[in-house]
Amino acid sequence: SMNLVNCEICDIRTNFWLSINDYDHYRCKRCKHLFVYPKPSQTDLDNFYKSGDYYNKAEIEASRLVKEAVERMGILNKLADNYKLNKNLLDIGCASGHFLSVLKKGGWKVTGLERSAVTAEQASNKRGLDIIVGTVENTDIPDNSHDFITLWEVIEHVVNLDKFLSGISRILKQGGILAISTPMSDGYVAKVLGSKYPMLTPPEHLSLFSRKSDRK
């Protein structure tokens, strides 16, 4: 079955590319999408994210995260004004809440969604944020409730993209904005580093999108 895996994005047969940390990676010739198959089980993932190590890394990078958050808020403010949207935002995979914290100070109404209970607790205690523990697929956040949804380096961690994206489209208001950042499988860095690309970190990153696969 190694060579019968279809691309998650454009569904043509893909080729086995490389095994990293015992996870098999496939790469699509047509759209250059790169993904892990088979995907780890939800249990394995939950254990991985429970460990807390994953999030301690984010705390070390706090000053970079805050600077990035300020830049992102500038862009979102412009979008809110241009499209006459309310400044209410759901940040999915909000980790330790640096981004939400900056937005809250900037007058936004913000909520975080975070699968790691440990992290969610730290973020809400330390930063007084409203954070829901869970995932997009199994949350009771109301339909059409947010003008903005942000996914900063999150989509590459997702196991079932269809379920994930339909959860998002349920929560996002009609005409709302979904902002995504993700490491590119076909960006300059990925091309130069090949198999040494530092974003190849299963079970953390399960899909790396190319410019083409992102648009689908």
Side-chain angles (χ1 to χ4, degrees):
S1 89
M2 211 177 228
N3 46 11
L4 294 179
V5 178
N6 282 15
C7 174
E8 302 177 306
I9 302 292
C10 68
D11 213 36
I12 65 163
R13 291 281 157 83
T14 59
N15 296 353
F16 172 72
W17 186 60
L18 190 69
S19 184
I20 303 173
N21 302 356
D22 294 334
Y23 289 92
D24 289 346
H25 287 64
Y26 289 79
R27 186 168 210 137
C28 176
K29 279 211 279 284
R30 186 201 287 160
C31 79
K32 304 288 190 288
H33 185 62
L34 180 62
F35 60 100
V36 170
Y37 186 88
K39 296 279 194 259
S41 72
Q42 204 52 57
T43 318
D44 289 351
L45 283 178
D46 287 341
N47 291 335
F48 173 74
Y49 287 110
K50 255 185 213 132
S51 75
D53 297 352
Y54 173 70
Y55 294 97
N56 298 338
K57 286 194 304 206
E59 283 303 310
I60 295 163
E61 295 182 50
S63 63
R64 179 185 68 78
L65 293 169
V66 168
K67 185 170 166 284
E68 198 171 61
V70 171
E71 284 165 14
R72 285 171 170 168
M73 181 171 70
I75 297 168
L76 294 171
N77 279 333
K78 282 200 188 96
L79 289 168
D81 296 343
N82 291 349
Y83 293 99
K84 314 249 179 306
L85 295 168
N86 297 317
K87 293 184 176 181
N88 78 44
L89 178 143
L90 174 68
D91 186 30
I92 294 171
C94 64
S96 38
H98 292 291
F99 173 68
L100 289 177
S101 211
V102 166
L103 260 75
K104 191 179 174 182
K105 287 179 191 133
W108 285 67
K109 181 176 181 298
V110 293
T111 309
L113 182 64
E114 173 51 56
R115 66 184 306 160
S116 158
V118 181
T119 310
E121 200 176 322
Q122 284 172 353
S124 56
N125 293 345
K126 249 192 223 168
R127 305 199 165 85
L129 296 164
D130 173 20
I131 297 180
I132 298 159
V133 177
T135 58
V136 173
E137 298 86 337
N138 59 19
T139 175
D140 49 10
I141 295 173
D143 292 7
N144 309 313
S145 53
H146 289 79
D147 290 57
F148 287 85
I149 293 180
T150 47
L151 298 173
W152 305 134
E153 283 84 50
V154 166
I155 200 163
E156 64 275 11
H157 303 249
V158 170
V159 175
N160 184 325
L161 283 171
D162 285 346
K163 273 192 186 149
F164 181 77
L165 292 170
S166 62
I168 283 175
S169 70
R170 180 184 73 71
I171 297 167
L172 190 62
K173 244 180 221 172
Q174 196 70 44
I177 288 179
L178 170 63
I180 300 177
S181 66
T182 185
M184 287 306 210
S185 70
D186 65 343
Y188 176 71
V189 181
K191 282 198 180 93
V192 174
L193 295 179
S195 63
K196 298 285 187 293
Y197 186 38
M199 293 301 163
L200 295 167
T201 55
E204 217 178 301
H205 292 165
L206 302 175
S207 305
L208 290 179
F209 298 83
S210 68
R211 281 181 183 72
K212 245 192 198 144
S213 66
D214 226 4
R215 282 200 291 271
K216 299 244 182 242

